[in-house]
Amino acid sequence: MAVNTKRKTTQPTIIKVGANDLGKLPPQALELEESVIGAMMIEKDAFNSVADLLRPESFYADKHRYIFEAIRSLSAKDAPVDVLSVAEELKLSGKLELAGGILYLSDLTRRVASAAHLHYHAQIVAQKATARDLITMACQIEEKGYDETQDVDELVEEATAKIFEISQRAQKRDVTHIYPVITEAFERMRKASANEGNISGIPSGFTELDKITSGWQKSDLVIIAARPAMGKTAFVLSMAKNIAVDFNIPVAIFSLEMSNVQLINRLIMNVCEIEGNKIRNGRLTTAEWDRLENRINVLEKAPIYVDDTPGLSVFELQSKARKLVKDKGIKLIIIDYLQLMNANGSSFGSREQEVSIISRNLKGLAKELDIPVIALSQLSRAVEKRDSSNSNVDGKKPLLSDLRESGAIEQDADMVCFIHRPEYYKLYDDGNGKDLRGLGQIIVAKHRNGATDEIWLRFIGKYTRFQNEDAAFDESLYADTQYNTQTRTSRMNSLPMEADGAQLSDRFDDPPAPF
């Protein structure tokens, strides 16, 4: 039996839901819509009390939408809102008759005794609208799901994006009194004062940097940007190692550029002090094999989680991040790097707009999960064009204006840090006698909640590792790292046992003879 879906003035629209073409009445609350509209026309500040809850689409009946639009227009002009002014506003827009005429407006106000329950009624109207949005979205996705020409992965991302959009629209936070916020802020200060170095956030393991930031703070979006070859990935991997190994804090790394194996190889280089070419070809000395086997368990036990999905969309990232926080207790997320992400499922007219969407959603994710989100970013080529003579050693330092593709990155970020290695540009002296060879500079160029500054770290290129400028490799972190660099003793028998009874050495082939 065919269902008449034609719009009538006295009857709500019937939409088709499901594959069986049976008409179902969408969620609605017409009497409450009438009550809300009527209250707005009899109470002076009624509109302002529910303006953050309602929009024209929140109303199921078209005439109620027209009336709400007129009330909103009057409020925007700070004009009085009553039956006569609303009627005049509707007349100017040519929608008075579509809204039921002045008699209907008068009737709405007579039905409302007071606006005492206005907010509660408005919440129900908003919830019904959200349910209708979900139904509409589901119907659209269902229709596309039957279309075999549709790419399933893109359809999943579109569905995720639309659900996220609806959920964000539905989330409304009430204004809160300052007292509980002060209490929370005081508690965080108390905890920070009890920590060594007054670190209130996630420590990076870099002493001078932590003095500036007090650790990476909850809900912050941190952008770490640099030109290629400056060591962006080396920096965040060194930091991830510090956080997960030294402080046992769970970290998630989303690597859009490198595979899982490439990323882990870099971590092995960092922790085991083995050069990259030897990791790739396996030609390690006896001492290096010993060092590898003795230190590898440090990484195995570290709470580091890696995802190397190529072309990851921001909405897929959000879904995975929520699950990691819930299931693994992740306290910090690292993304390598922002420009390789996409915003499938959203509408945008340019790459700049797409990056803006990604940046805004990353900030929203940090705030939602209440953890720091660190995203790497590329810088424009403007850095390369600036003067780098010895008389202008700062000429190659990155600036906020060098952030690539979108000013929204700078706007959305709570902190922007640059990595600068003067040695790369053949600058070996800072002009004041400081030797810049083997040093990398971390420039805190934007700090929404603190000071900006610059610090130096030591960069060990062959191990792709950053460390504190005045620190040697901390052997005390590895209690079982006693090895003889000249001889090899009991490699097969002295290694710790795995949970399944296998020896650690079973994972490695016998190394070639030392060379």
Side-chain angles (χ1 to χ4, degrees), residues 98 143 164 203-204 224 259 298 311 324 459 471 474 490:
L98 292 174
E143 183 178 349
F164 180 75
S204 68
I224 297 175
S259 70
V298 173
L324 280 167
F459 176 68
D474 189 358
S490 305

Side-chain angles (χ1 to χ4, degrees), residues 462-479:
K462 63 180 180 179
Y463 301 144
T464 63
R465 184 172 79 215
F466 280 88
Q467 63 184 44
N468 290 315
E469 182 182 5
D470 58 353
F473 190 75
D474 189 358
E475 291 286 351
S476 67
L477 294 175
Y478 311 97

Side-chain angles (χ1 to χ4, degrees), residues 224-354:
I224 297 175
R227 287 294 293 154
M230 287 297 108
K232 294 188 298 296
T233 304
F235 175 75
V236 293
L237 285 182
S238 297
M239 185 173 63
K241 172 263 172 188
N242 295 342
I243 294 170
V245 174
D246 302 355
F247 301 103
N248 198 35
I249 297 173
V251 177
I253 304 173
F254 290 89
S255 175
L256 286 79
E257 188 173 32
M258 296 183 181
S259 70
N260 283 346
V261 173
Q262 289 174 315
L263 210 64
I264 296 306
N265 281 346
R266 286 224 178 179
L267 279 171
I268 292 173
M269 292 166 61
N270 186 309
V271 172
C272 301
E273 295 186 287
I274 298 174
E275 296 179 35
N277 64 319
K278 293 187 176 184
I279 293 288
R280 289 188 293 273
N281 61 34
R283 296 188 62 78
L284 280 64
T285 65
T286 301
E288 287 169 337
W289 277 105
D290 283 336
R291 192 158 67 245
L292 172 65
E293 293 178 354
N294 280 295
R295 293 183 181 176
I296 197 71
N297 70 320
V298 173
L299 280 180
E300 290 178 325
K301 298 171 183 176
I304 299 176
Y305 301 87
V306 181
D307 184 296
D308 63 352
T309 303
L312 186 71
S313 76
V314 67
F315 306 109
E316 189 176 4
L317 168 71
Q318 289 167 335
S319 177
K320 291 185 175 186
R322 293 185 188 109
K323 183 173 175 59
L324 280 167
V325 169
K326 180 182 178 182
D327 296 345
K328 305 297 183 182
I330 292 298
K331 301 298 182 184
L332 181 138
I333 290 173
I334 296 171
I335 301 160
D336 183 14
Y337 60 91
L338 188 148
Q339 278 83 6
L340 290 179
M341 297 187 72
N342 65 71
N344 284 358
S346 296
S347 300
F348 42 84
S350 68
R351 177 58 181 166
E352 183 176 342
Q353 291 178 357
E354 185 176 17

